PDB file of all heavy atoms in Angstrom:
ATOM      1  N   LYS A 238      13.897  10.823   9.878  1.00 97.00           N
ATOM      2  CA  LYS A 238      13.401  12.130   9.429  1.00 97.00           C
ATOM      3  C   LYS A 238      13.629  12.327   7.931  1.00 97.00           C
ATOM      4  O   LYS A 238      12.723  12.755   7.200  1.00 97.00           O
ATOM      5  CB  LYS A 238      14.074  13.266  10.209  1.00 97.00           C
ATOM      6  CG  LYS A 238      13.624  14.660   9.772  1.00 97.00           C
ATOM      7  CD  LYS A 238      14.207  15.745  10.656  1.00 97.00           C
ATOM      8  CE  LYS A 238      13.824  17.136  10.141  1.00 97.00           C
ATOM      9  NZ  LYS A 238      12.358  17.320  10.042  1.00 97.00           N
ATOM     10  N   ILE A 239      14.825  12.010   7.454  1.00 98.00           N
ATOM     11  CA  ILE A 239      15.100  12.224   6.035  1.00 98.00           C
ATOM     12  C   ILE A 239      14.331  11.224   5.173  1.00 98.00           C
ATOM     13  O   ILE A 239      13.953  11.536   4.037  1.00 98.00           O
ATOM     14  CB  ILE A 239      16.619  12.178   5.739  1.00 98.00           C
ATOM     15  CG1 ILE A 239      16.929  12.883   4.402  1.00 98.00           C
ATOM     16  CG2 ILE A 239      17.163  10.770   5.762  1.00 98.00           C
ATOM     17  CD1 ILE A 239      16.576  14.347   4.366  1.00 98.00           C
ATOM     18  N   LEU A 240      14.050  10.043   5.715  1.00 98.00           N
ATOM     19  CA  LEU A 240      13.203   9.102   4.982  1.00 98.00           C
ATOM     20  C   LEU A 240      11.798   9.662   4.806  1.00 98.00           C
ATOM     21  O   LEU A 240      11.199   9.548   3.729  1.00 98.00           O
ATOM     22  CB  LEU A 240      13.136   7.755   5.700  1.00 98.00           C
ATOM     23  CG  LEU A 240      14.344   6.829   5.578  1.00 98.00           C
ATOM     24  CD1 LEU A 240      14.130   5.564   6.403  1.00 98.00           C
ATOM     25  CD2 LEU A 240      14.642   6.471   4.126  1.00 98.00           C
ATOM     26  N   ASN A 241      11.274  10.278   5.862  1.00 98.00           N
ATOM     27  CA  ASN A 241       9.944  10.891   5.745  1.00 98.00           C
ATOM     28  C   ASN A 241       9.929  11.996   4.698  1.00 98.00           C
ATOM     29  O   ASN A 241       8.972  12.121   3.921  1.00 98.00           O
ATOM     30  CB  ASN A 241       9.495  11.451   7.108  1.00 98.00           C
ATOM     31  CG  ASN A 241       9.014  10.369   8.053  1.00 98.00           C
ATOM     32  OD1 ASN A 241       8.604   9.292   7.629  1.00 98.00           O
ATOM     33  ND2 ASN A 241       9.056  10.655   9.344  1.00 98.00           N
ATOM     34  N   GLU A 242      11.000  12.787   4.653  1.00 98.00           N
ATOM     35  CA  GLU A 242      11.073  13.850   3.645  1.00 98.00           C
ATOM     36  C   GLU A 242      11.155  13.247   2.239  1.00 98.00           C
ATOM     37  O   GLU A 242      10.542  13.767   1.292  1.00 98.00           O
ATOM     38  CB  GLU A 242      12.290  14.745   3.915  1.00 98.00           C
ATOM     39  CG  GLU A 242      12.232  15.514   5.230  1.00 98.00           C
ATOM     40  CD  GLU A 242      10.995  16.399   5.319  1.00 98.00           C
ATOM     41  OE1 GLU A 242      10.674  17.088   4.334  1.00 98.00           O
ATOM     42  OE2 GLU A 242      10.339  16.385   6.381  1.00 98.00           O
ATOM     43  N   ALA A 243      11.900  12.160   2.100  1.00 98.00           N
ATOM     44  CA  ALA A 243      12.021  11.500   0.797  1.00 98.00           C
ATOM     45  C   ALA A 243      10.685  10.899   0.363  1.00 98.00           C
ATOM     46  O   ALA A 243      10.314  10.973  -0.816  1.00 98.00           O
ATOM     47  CB  ALA A 243      13.095  10.419   0.859  1.00 98.00           C
ATOM     48  N   VAL A 244       9.960  10.312   1.297  1.00 98.00           N
ATOM     49  CA  VAL A 244       8.642   9.757   0.988  1.00 98.00           C
ATOM     50  C   VAL A 244       7.716  10.852   0.489  1.00 98.00           C
ATOM     51  O   VAL A 244       6.972  10.665  -0.483  1.00 98.00           O
ATOM     52  CB  VAL A 244       8.046   9.054   2.229  1.00 98.00           C
ATOM     53  CG1 VAL A 244       6.563   8.751   2.026  1.00 98.00           C
ATOM     54  CG2 VAL A 244       8.806   7.765   2.536  1.00 98.00           C
ATOM     55  N   LYS A 245       7.775  12.004   1.128  1.00 98.00           N
ATOM     56  CA  LYS A 245       6.880  13.112   0.752  1.00 98.00           C
ATOM     57  C   LYS A 245       7.107  13.585  -0.677  1.00 98.00           C
ATOM     58  O   LYS A 245       6.159  13.920  -1.386  1.00 98.00           O
ATOM     59  CB  LYS A 245       7.049  14.289   1.729  1.00 98.00           C
ATOM     60  CG  LYS A 245       6.374  14.063   3.062  1.00 98.00           C
ATOM     61  CD  LYS A 245       6.236  15.349   3.865  1.00 98.00           C
ATOM     62  CE  LYS A 245       7.545  15.821   4.406  1.00 98.00           C
ATOM     63  NZ  LYS A 245       7.383  16.999   5.318  1.00 98.00           N
ATOM     64  N   VAL A 246       8.362  13.628  -1.119  1.00 98.00           N
ATOM     65  CA  VAL A 246       8.639  14.145  -2.472  1.00 98.00           C
ATOM     66  C   VAL A 246       8.589  13.051  -3.533  1.00 98.00           C
ATOM     67  O   VAL A 246       8.610  13.345  -4.725  1.00 98.00           O
ATOM     68  CB  VAL A 246      10.008  14.859  -2.533  1.00 98.00           C
ATOM     69  CG1 VAL A 246      10.107  15.945  -1.477  1.00 98.00           C
ATOM     70  CG2 VAL A 246      11.158  13.881  -2.417  1.00 98.00           C
ATOM     71  N   SER A 247       8.530  11.792  -3.111  1.00 98.00           N
ATOM     72  CA  SER A 247       8.500  10.689  -4.075  1.00 98.00           C
ATOM     73  C   SER A 247       7.184  10.692  -4.844  1.00 98.00           C
ATOM     74  O   SER A 247       6.153  11.134  -4.343  1.00 98.00           O
ATOM     75  CB  SER A 247       8.680   9.341  -3.365  1.00 98.00           C
ATOM     76  OG  SER A 247       7.571   9.066  -2.520  1.00 98.00           O
ATOM     77  N   GLY A 248       7.241  10.182  -6.066  1.00 96.00           N
ATOM     78  CA  GLY A 248       6.046  10.146  -6.904  1.00 96.00           C
ATOM     79  C   GLY A 248       5.475   8.766  -7.102  1.00 96.00           C
ATOM     80  O   GLY A 248       4.501   8.594  -7.839  1.00 96.00           O
ATOM     81  N   GLY A 249       6.059   7.763  -6.439  1.00 97.00           N
ATOM     82  CA  GLY A 249       5.631   6.387  -6.662  1.00 97.00           C
ATOM     83  C   GLY A 249       4.408   5.989  -5.868  1.00 97.00           C
ATOM     84  O   GLY A 249       4.216   6.432  -4.732  1.00 97.00           O
ATOM     85  N   ASP A 250       3.595   5.139  -6.466  1.00 97.00           N
ATOM     86  CA  ASP A 250       2.516   4.470  -5.732  1.00 97.00           C
ATOM     87  C   ASP A 250       3.096   3.341  -4.892  1.00 97.00           C
ATOM     88  O   ASP A 250       2.517   2.957  -3.872  1.00 97.00           O
ATOM     89  CB  ASP A 250       1.494   3.881  -6.706  1.00 97.00           C
ATOM     90  CG  ASP A 250       0.930   4.917  -7.658  1.00 97.00           C
ATOM     91  OD1 ASP A 250       0.401   5.930  -7.173  1.00 97.00           O
ATOM     92  OD2 ASP A 250       1.034   4.715  -8.891  1.00 97.00           O
ATOM     93  N   TYR A 251       4.234   2.820  -5.364  1.00 98.00           N
ATOM     94  CA  TYR A 251       4.917   1.729  -4.670  1.00 98.00           C
ATOM     95  C   TYR A 251       6.342   2.184  -4.374  1.00 98.00           C
ATOM     96  O   TYR A 251       7.031   2.709  -5.257  1.00 98.00           O
ATOM     97  CB  TYR A 251       4.945   0.464  -5.530  1.00 98.00           C
ATOM     98  CG  TYR A 251       5.283  -0.776  -4.748  1.00 98.00           C
ATOM     99  CD1 TYR A 251       4.339  -1.394  -3.933  1.00 98.00           C
ATOM    100  CD2 TYR A 251       6.562  -1.323  -4.810  1.00 98.00           C
ATOM    101  CE1 TYR A 251       4.650  -2.525  -3.203  1.00 98.00           C
ATOM    102  CE2 TYR A 251       6.882  -2.456  -4.076  1.00 98.00           C
ATOM    103  CZ  TYR A 251       5.918  -3.053  -3.279  1.00 98.00           C
ATOM    104  OH  TYR A 251       6.239  -4.166  -2.539  1.00 98.00           O
ATOM    105  N   LEU A 252       6.793   1.999  -3.114  1.00 98.00           N
ATOM    106  CA  LEU A 252       8.091   2.507  -2.682  1.00 98.00           C
ATOM    107  C   LEU A 252       9.007   1.365  -2.262  1.00 98.00           C
ATOM    108  O   LEU A 252       8.640   0.537  -1.418  1.00 98.00           O
ATOM    109  CB  LEU A 252       7.920   3.481  -1.514  1.00 98.00           C
ATOM    110  CG  LEU A 252       6.945   4.648  -1.720  1.00 98.00           C
ATOM    111  CD1 LEU A 252       6.954   5.572  -0.513  1.00 98.00           C
ATOM    112  CD2 LEU A 252       7.277   5.427  -2.985  1.00 98.00           C
ATOM    113  N   ILE A 253      10.179   1.330  -2.865  1.00 98.00           N
ATOM    114  CA  ILE A 253      11.206   0.340  -2.539  1.00 98.00           C
ATOM    115  C   ILE A 253      12.319   1.059  -1.783  1.00 98.00           C
ATOM    116  O   ILE A 253      12.819   2.095  -2.234  1.00 98.00           O
ATOM    117  CB  ILE A 253      11.779  -0.305  -3.814  1.00 98.00           C
ATOM    118  CG1 ILE A 253      10.665  -0.970  -4.632  1.00 98.00           C
ATOM    119  CG2 ILE A 253      12.863  -1.322  -3.466  1.00 98.00           C
ATOM    120  CD1 ILE A 253      11.123  -1.424  -6.019  1.00 98.00           C
ATOM    121  N   PHE A 254      12.723   0.515  -0.645  1.00 98.00           N
ATOM    122  CA  PHE A 254      13.749   1.142   0.186  1.00 98.00           C
ATOM    123  C   PHE A 254      15.052   0.358   0.084  1.00 98.00           C
ATOM    124  O   PHE A 254      15.075  -0.871   0.237  1.00 98.00           O
ATOM    125  CB  PHE A 254      13.278   1.213   1.639  1.00 98.00           C
ATOM    126  CG  PHE A 254      12.144   2.174   1.847  1.00 98.00           C
ATOM    127  CD1 PHE A 254      10.850   1.812   1.526  1.00 98.00           C
ATOM    128  CD2 PHE A 254      12.372   3.453   2.332  1.00 98.00           C
ATOM    129  CE1 PHE A 254       9.786   2.697   1.691  1.00 98.00           C
ATOM    130  CE2 PHE A 254      11.324   4.354   2.505  1.00 98.00           C
ATOM    131  CZ  PHE A 254      10.023   3.968   2.184  1.00 98.00           C
ATOM    132  N   LEU A 255      16.133   1.095  -0.160  1.00 98.00           N
ATOM    133  CA  LEU A 255      17.458   0.507  -0.370  1.00 98.00           C
ATOM    134  C   LEU A 255      18.484   1.391   0.320  1.00 98.00           C
ATOM    135  O   LEU A 255      18.408   2.619   0.239  1.00 98.00           O
ATOM    136  CB  LEU A 255      17.745   0.437  -1.873  1.00 98.00           C
ATOM    137  CG  LEU A 255      19.102  -0.093  -2.334  1.00 98.00           C
ATOM    138  CD1 LEU A 255      19.221  -1.589  -2.015  1.00 98.00           C
ATOM    139  CD2 LEU A 255      19.284   0.148  -3.837  1.00 98.00           C
ATOM    140  N   ASP A 256      19.432   0.789   1.020  1.00 97.00           N
ATOM    141  CA  ASP A 256      20.491   1.575   1.649  1.00 97.00           C
ATOM    142  C   ASP A 256      21.575   1.922   0.634  1.00 97.00           C
ATOM    143  O   ASP A 256      21.828   1.165  -0.316  1.00 97.00           O
ATOM    144  CB  ASP A 256      21.110   0.817   2.823  1.00 97.00           C
ATOM    145  CG  ASP A 256      20.295   0.966   4.096  1.00 97.00           C
ATOM    146  OD1 ASP A 256      19.425   1.848   4.149  1.00 97.00           O
ATOM    147  OD2 ASP A 256      20.532   0.187   5.044  1.00 97.00           O
ATOM    148  N   GLY A 257      22.230   3.048   0.857  1.00 96.00           N
ATOM    149  CA  GLY A 257      23.254   3.532  -0.060  1.00 96.00           C
ATOM    150  C   GLY A 257      24.569   2.796   0.016  1.00 96.00           C
ATOM    151  O   GLY A 257      25.580   3.257  -0.536  1.00 96.00           O
ATOM    152  N   ASP A 258      24.588   1.648   0.705  1.00 96.00           N
ATOM    153  CA  ASP A 258      25.773   0.782   0.721  1.00 96.00           C
ATOM    154  C   ASP A 258      25.428  -0.622   0.230  1.00 96.00           C
ATOM    155  O   ASP A 258      26.167  -1.569   0.480  1.00 96.00           O
ATOM    156  CB  ASP A 258      26.385   0.725   2.130  1.00 96.00           C
ATOM    157  CG  ASP A 258      25.364   0.353   3.201  1.00 96.00           C
ATOM    158  OD1 ASP A 258      24.283  -0.167   2.848  1.00 96.00           O
ATOM    159  OD2 ASP A 258      25.636   0.586   4.387  1.00 96.00           O
ATOM    160  N   CYS A 259      24.289  -0.749  -0.476  1.00 97.00           N
ATOM    161  CA  CYS A 259      23.829  -2.062  -0.944  1.00 97.00           C
ATOM    162  C   CYS A 259      23.645  -2.039  -2.465  1.00 97.00           C
ATOM    163  O   CYS A 259      22.729  -1.388  -2.979  1.00 97.00           O
ATOM    164  CB  CYS A 259      22.518  -2.438  -0.271  1.00 97.00           C
ATOM    165  SG  CYS A 259      22.662  -2.731   1.512  1.00 97.00           S
ATOM    166  N   ILE A 260      24.514  -2.740  -3.181  1.00 98.00           N
ATOM    167  CA  ILE A 260      24.438  -2.790  -4.647  1.00 98.00           C
ATOM    168  C   ILE A 260      23.372  -3.796  -5.056  1.00 98.00           C
ATOM    169  O   ILE A 260      23.476  -4.979  -4.728  1.00 98.00           O
ATOM    170  CB  ILE A 260      25.789  -3.190  -5.262  1.00 98.00           C
ATOM    171  CG1 ILE A 260      26.916  -2.278  -4.776  1.00 98.00           C
ATOM    172  CG2 ILE A 260      25.703  -3.166  -6.792  1.00 98.00           C
ATOM    173  CD1 ILE A 260      28.300  -2.711  -5.237  1.00 98.00           C
ATOM    174  N   PRO A 261      22.348  -3.366  -5.796  1.00 98.00           N
ATOM    175  CA  PRO A 261      21.285  -4.299  -6.186  1.00 98.00           C
ATOM    176  C   PRO A 261      21.627  -5.094  -7.439  1.00 98.00           C
ATOM    177  O   PRO A 261      22.243  -4.569  -8.368  1.00 98.00           O
ATOM    178  CB  PRO A 261      20.102  -3.357  -6.457  1.00 98.00           C
ATOM    179  CG  PRO A 261      20.753  -2.103  -6.970  1.00 98.00           C
ATOM    180  CD  PRO A 261      22.060  -1.975  -6.215  1.00 98.00           C
ATOM    181  N   ARG A 262      21.239  -6.359  -7.451  1.00 98.00           N
ATOM    182  CA  ARG A 262      21.367  -7.169  -8.666  1.00 98.00           C
ATOM    183  C   ARG A 262      20.405  -6.631  -9.725  1.00 98.00           C
ATOM    184  O   ARG A 262      19.431  -5.945  -9.405  1.00 98.00           O
ATOM    185  CB  ARG A 262      21.073  -8.641  -8.345  1.00 98.00           C
ATOM    186  CG  ARG A 262      21.566  -9.622  -9.398  1.00 98.00           C
ATOM    187  CD  ARG A 262      21.481 -11.055  -8.898  1.00 98.00           C
ATOM    188  NE  ARG A 262      20.097 -11.491  -8.693  1.00 98.00           N
ATOM    189  CZ  ARG A 262      19.758 -12.665  -8.155  1.00 98.00           C
ATOM    190  NH1 ARG A 262      20.709 -13.500  -7.752  1.00 98.00           N
ATOM    191  NH2 ARG A 262      18.493 -12.987  -7.999  1.00 98.00           N
ATOM    192  N   ARG A 263      20.632  -6.955 -10.973  1.00 97.00           N
ATOM    193  CA  ARG A 263      19.877  -6.348 -12.075  1.00 97.00           C
ATOM    194  C   ARG A 263      18.375  -6.627 -12.003  1.00 97.00           C
ATOM    195  O   ARG A 263      17.574  -5.897 -12.574  1.00 97.00           O
ATOM    196  CB  ARG A 263      20.427  -6.816 -13.419  1.00 97.00           C
ATOM    197  CG  ARG A 263      20.202  -8.290 -13.735  1.00 97.00           C
ATOM    198  CD  ARG A 263      20.794  -8.660 -15.093  1.00 97.00           C
ATOM    199  NE  ARG A 263      20.245  -7.842 -16.167  1.00 97.00           N
ATOM    200  CZ  ARG A 263      19.113  -8.129 -16.812  1.00 97.00           C
ATOM    201  NH1 ARG A 263      18.397  -9.189 -16.460  1.00 97.00           N
ATOM    202  NH2 ARG A 263      18.696  -7.359 -17.786  1.00 97.00           N
ATOM    203  N   ASP A 264      17.964  -7.686 -11.294  1.00 97.00           N
ATOM    204  CA  ASP A 264      16.539  -8.007 -11.187  1.00 97.00           C
ATOM    205  C   ASP A 264      15.927  -7.539  -9.867  1.00 97.00           C
ATOM    206  O   ASP A 264      14.819  -7.960  -9.507  1.00 97.00           O
ATOM    207  CB  ASP A 264      16.322  -9.517 -11.353  1.00 97.00           C
ATOM    208  CG  ASP A 264      17.056 -10.341 -10.298  1.00 97.00           C
ATOM    209  OD1 ASP A 264      17.954  -9.794  -9.615  1.00 97.00           O
ATOM    210  OD2 ASP A 264      16.749 -11.540 -10.158  1.00 97.00           O
ATOM    211  N   PHE A 265      16.623  -6.669  -9.155  1.00 98.00           N
ATOM    212  CA  PHE A 265      16.184  -6.230  -7.825  1.00 98.00           C
ATOM    213  C   PHE A 265      14.820  -5.538  -7.882  1.00 98.00           C
ATOM    214  O   PHE A 265      13.873  -5.940  -7.195  1.00 98.00           O
ATOM    215  CB  PHE A 265      17.238  -5.288  -7.233  1.00 98.00           C
ATOM    216  CG  PHE A 265      16.884  -4.718  -5.890  1.00 98.00           C
ATOM    217  CD1 PHE A 265      17.102  -5.445  -4.735  1.00 98.00           C
ATOM    218  CD2 PHE A 265      16.357  -3.439  -5.773  1.00 98.00           C
ATOM    219  CE1 PHE A 265      16.787  -4.924  -3.490  1.00 98.00           C
ATOM    220  CE2 PHE A 265      16.039  -2.900  -4.538  1.00 98.00           C
ATOM    221  CZ  PHE A 265      16.259  -3.644  -3.396  1.00 98.00           C
ATOM    222  N   VAL A 266      14.702  -4.499  -8.696  1.00 98.00           N
ATOM    223  CA  VAL A 266      13.434  -3.772  -8.798  1.00 98.00           C
ATOM    224  C   VAL A 266      12.355  -4.690  -9.356  1.00 98.00           C
ATOM    225  O   VAL A 266      11.215  -4.723  -8.861  1.00 98.00           O
ATOM    226  CB  VAL A 266      13.590  -2.508  -9.668  1.00 98.00           C
ATOM    227  CG1 VAL A 266      12.233  -1.856  -9.937  1.00 98.00           C
ATOM    228  CG2 VAL A 266      14.522  -1.505  -8.986  1.00 98.00           C
ATOM    229  N   GLU A 267      12.691  -5.452 -10.383  1.00 97.00           N
ATOM    230  CA  GLU A 267      11.725  -6.371 -10.989  1.00 97.00           C
ATOM    231  C   GLU A 267      11.192  -7.371  -9.966  1.00 97.00           C
ATOM    232  O   GLU A 267       9.985  -7.673  -9.935  1.00 97.00           O
ATOM    233  CB  GLU A 267      12.385  -7.122 -12.149  1.00 97.00           C
ATOM    234  CG  GLU A 267      11.468  -8.102 -12.846  1.00 97.00           C
ATOM    235  CD  GLU A 267      12.163  -8.861 -13.969  1.00 97.00           C
ATOM    236  OE1 GLU A 267      13.261  -8.445 -14.375  1.00 97.00           O
ATOM    237  OE2 GLU A 267      11.582  -9.857 -14.434  1.00 97.00           O
ATOM    238  N   THR A 268      12.058  -7.879  -9.103  1.00 97.00           N
ATOM    239  CA  THR A 268      11.643  -8.846  -8.088  1.00 97.00           C
ATOM    240  C   THR A 268      10.676  -8.225  -7.095  1.00 97.00           C
ATOM    241  O   THR A 268       9.659  -8.837  -6.727  1.00 97.00           O
ATOM    242  CB  THR A 268      12.875  -9.407  -7.349  1.00 97.00           C
ATOM    243  OG1 THR A 268      13.702 -10.094  -8.282  1.00 97.00           O
ATOM    244  CG2 THR A 268      12.466 -10.354  -6.239  1.00 97.00           C
ATOM    245  N   HIS A 269      10.974  -7.006  -6.655  1.00 98.00           N
ATOM    246  CA  HIS A 269      10.053  -6.324  -5.736  1.00 98.00           C
ATOM    247  C   HIS A 269       8.688  -6.118  -6.391  1.00 98.00           C
ATOM    248  O   HIS A 269       7.646  -6.339  -5.755  1.00 98.00           O
ATOM    249  CB  HIS A 269      10.643  -4.993  -5.283  1.00 98.00           C
ATOM    250  CG  HIS A 269      11.551  -5.112  -4.098  1.00 98.00           C
ATOM    251  ND1 HIS A 269      11.086  -5.053  -2.801  1.00 98.00           N
ATOM    252  CD2 HIS A 269      12.892  -5.290  -4.009  1.00 98.00           C
ATOM    253  CE1 HIS A 269      12.096  -5.194  -1.963  1.00 98.00           C
ATOM    254  NE2 HIS A 269      13.212  -5.331  -2.670  1.00 98.00           N
ATOM    255  N   LEU A 270       8.686  -5.703  -7.639  1.00 97.00           N
ATOM    256  CA  LEU A 270       7.410  -5.431  -8.303  1.00 97.00           C
ATOM    257  C   LEU A 270       6.642  -6.718  -8.582  1.00 97.00           C
ATOM    258  O   LEU A 270       5.411  -6.757  -8.440  1.00 97.00           O
ATOM    259  CB  LEU A 270       7.651  -4.664  -9.602  1.00 97.00           C
ATOM    260  CG  LEU A 270       8.300  -3.286  -9.458  1.00 97.00           C
ATOM    261  CD1 LEU A 270       8.306  -2.551 -10.790  1.00 97.00           C
ATOM    262  CD2 LEU A 270       7.593  -2.452  -8.397  1.00 97.00           C
ATOM    263  N   ARG A 271       7.341  -7.766  -8.969  1.00 96.00           N
ATOM    264  CA  ARG A 271       6.674  -9.027  -9.279  1.00 96.00           C
ATOM    265  C   ARG A 271       6.002  -9.612  -8.038  1.00 96.00           C
ATOM    266  O   ARG A 271       4.961 -10.279  -8.134  1.00 96.00           O
ATOM    267  CB  ARG A 271       7.678 -10.031  -9.842  1.00 96.00           C
ATOM    268  CG  ARG A 271       7.013 -11.325 -10.322  1.00 96.00           C
ATOM    269  CD  ARG A 271       8.000 -12.399 -10.706  1.00 96.00           C
ATOM    270  NE  ARG A 271       8.951 -11.956 -11.707  1.00 96.00           N
ATOM    271  CZ  ARG A 271      10.245 -11.812 -11.509  1.00 96.00           C
ATOM    272  NH1 ARG A 271      10.756 -12.070 -10.317  1.00 96.00           N
ATOM    273  NH2 ARG A 271      11.046 -11.412 -12.467  1.00 96.00           N
ATOM    274  N   ASN A 272       6.592  -9.376  -6.886  1.00 97.00           N
ATOM    275  CA  ASN A 272       6.052  -9.933  -5.641  1.00 97.00           C
ATOM    276  C   ASN A 272       5.134  -8.980  -4.885  1.00 97.00           C
ATOM    277  O   ASN A 272       4.578  -9.348  -3.850  1.00 97.00           O
ATOM    278  CB  ASN A 272       7.201 -10.356  -4.727  1.00 97.00           C
ATOM    279  CG  ASN A 272       7.908 -11.602  -5.221  1.00 97.00           C
ATOM    280  OD1 ASN A 272       7.467 -12.723  -4.961  1.00 97.00           O
ATOM    281  ND2 ASN A 272       9.012 -11.414  -5.939  1.00 97.00           N
ATOM    282  N   SER A 273       4.975  -7.767  -5.387  1.00 97.00           N
ATOM    283  CA  SER A 273       4.126  -6.794  -4.692  1.00 97.00           C
ATOM    284  C   SER A 273       2.674  -7.235  -4.708  1.00 97.00           C
ATOM    285  O   SER A 273       2.193  -7.817  -5.689  1.00 97.00           O
ATOM    286  CB  SER A 273       4.261  -5.414  -5.356  1.00 97.00           C
ATOM    287  OG  SER A 273       3.798  -5.455  -6.695  1.00 97.00           O
ATOM    288  N   ALA A 274       1.973  -6.982  -3.616  1.00 97.00           N
ATOM    289  CA  ALA A 274       0.555  -7.336  -3.513  1.00 97.00           C
ATOM    290  C   ALA A 274      -0.077  -6.479  -2.426  1.00 97.00           C
ATOM    291  O   ALA A 274       0.570  -6.145  -1.426  1.00 97.00           O
ATOM    292  CB  ALA A 274       0.385  -8.817  -3.189  1.00 97.00           C
ATOM    293  N   LYS A 275      -1.318  -6.131  -2.620  1.00 97.00           N
ATOM    294  CA  LYS A 275      -2.035  -5.364  -1.610  1.00 97.00           C
ATOM    295  C   LYS A 275      -2.120  -6.168  -0.318  1.00 97.00           C
ATOM    296  O   LYS A 275      -2.330  -7.383  -0.319  1.00 97.00           O
ATOM    297  CB  LYS A 275      -3.442  -5.015  -2.100  1.00 97.00           C
ATOM    298  CG  LYS A 275      -3.464  -3.982  -3.209  1.00 97.00           C
ATOM    299  CD  LYS A 275      -3.006  -2.614  -2.701  1.00 97.00           C
ATOM    300  CE  LYS A 275      -3.175  -1.550  -3.789  1.00 97.00           C
ATOM    301  NZ  LYS A 275      -2.793  -0.209  -3.312  1.00 97.00           N
ATOM    302  N   GLY A 276      -1.942  -5.464   0.793  1.00 98.00           N
ATOM    303  CA  GLY A 276      -1.995  -6.107   2.096  1.00 98.00           C
ATOM    304  C   GLY A 276      -0.676  -6.668   2.578  1.00 98.00           C
ATOM    305  O   GLY A 276      -0.615  -7.295   3.639  1.00 98.00           O
ATOM    306  N   PHE A 277       0.405  -6.421   1.803  1.00 98.00           N
ATOM    307  CA  PHE A 277       1.712  -6.973   2.148  1.00 98.00           C
ATOM    308  C   PHE A 277       2.811  -5.922   2.078  1.00 98.00           C
ATOM    309  O   PHE A 277       2.700  -4.936   1.348  1.00 98.00           O
ATOM    310  CB  PHE A 277       2.090  -8.113   1.192  1.00 98.00           C
ATOM    311  CG  PHE A 277       1.300  -9.367   1.391  1.00 98.00           C
ATOM    312  CD1 PHE A 277       0.104  -9.551   0.716  1.00 98.00           C
ATOM    313  CD2 PHE A 277       1.756 -10.357   2.249  1.00 98.00           C
ATOM    314  CE1 PHE A 277      -0.629 -10.708   0.890  1.00 98.00           C
ATOM    315  CE2 PHE A 277       1.023 -11.519   2.426  1.00 98.00           C
ATOM    316  CZ  PHE A 277      -0.172 -11.701   1.751  1.00 98.00           C
ATOM    317  N   PHE A 278       3.896  -6.164   2.832  1.00 98.00           N
ATOM    318  CA  PHE A 278       5.175  -5.516   2.574  1.00 98.00           C
ATOM    319  C   PHE A 278       6.167  -6.626   2.292  1.00 98.00           C
ATOM    320  O   PHE A 278       5.965  -7.782   2.683  1.00 98.00           O
ATOM    321  CB  PHE A 278       5.621  -4.634   3.752  1.00 98.00           C
ATOM    322  CG  PHE A 278       6.062  -5.373   4.995  1.00 98.00           C
ATOM    323  CD1 PHE A 278       7.366  -5.831   5.148  1.00 98.00           C
ATOM    324  CD2 PHE A 278       5.167  -5.600   6.048  1.00 98.00           C
ATOM    325  CE1 PHE A 278       7.776  -6.503   6.298  1.00 98.00           C
ATOM    326  CE2 PHE A 278       5.561  -6.264   7.196  1.00 98.00           C
ATOM    327  CZ  PHE A 278       6.869  -6.717   7.330  1.00 98.00           C
ATOM    328  N   LEU A 279       7.231  -6.296   1.568  1.00 98.00           N
ATOM    329  CA  LEU A 279       8.235  -7.282   1.191  1.00 98.00           C
ATOM    330  C   LEU A 279       9.496  -7.106   2.032  1.00 98.00           C
ATOM    331  O   LEU A 279       9.936  -5.984   2.277  1.00 98.00           O
ATOM    332  CB  LEU A 279       8.575  -7.151  -0.292  1.00 98.00           C
ATOM    333  CG  LEU A 279       7.396  -7.319  -1.255  1.00 98.00           C
ATOM    334  CD1 LEU A 279       7.872  -7.190  -2.700  1.00 98.00           C
ATOM    335  CD2 LEU A 279       6.684  -8.643  -1.044  1.00 98.00           C
ATOM    336  N   SER A 280      10.058  -8.221   2.441  1.00 97.00           N
ATOM    337  CA  SER A 280      11.216  -8.233   3.334  1.00 97.00           C
ATOM    338  C   SER A 280      12.403  -8.896   2.654  1.00 97.00           C
ATOM    339  O   SER A 280      12.422 -10.107   2.434  1.00 97.00           O
ATOM    340  CB  SER A 280      10.859  -9.001   4.617  1.00 97.00           C
ATOM    341  OG  SER A 280      11.991  -9.169   5.443  1.00 97.00           O
TER     342      SER A 280
END
């Protein structure tokens, strides 16, 4: 439910999901964006 509320207020065309107990490496966002493509989700 709270994820749906967060999605609604988000302004991104592309959404990256991260848990609040997972520290991302400095290239985390860059890696998601570099691999993004229409017709796919990233795992």
Side-chain angles (χ1 to χ4, degrees):
K238 179 174 176 57
I239 200 62
L240 283 177
N241 283 337
E242 296 302 315
V244 167
K245 284 195 288 186
V246 306
S247 66
D250 304 304
Y251 196 77
L252 307 184
I253 302 170
F254 291 79
L255 178 68
D256 277 346
D258 53 17
C259 293
I260 306 174
R262 197 169 66 186
R263 68 180 303 274
D264 60 345
F265 178 82
V266 172
E267 180 182 346
T268 298
H269 274 272
L270 298 188
R271 186 188 305 114
N272 288 276
S273 63
K275 289 292 186 178
F277 288 89
F278 71 85
L279 301 181
S280 173

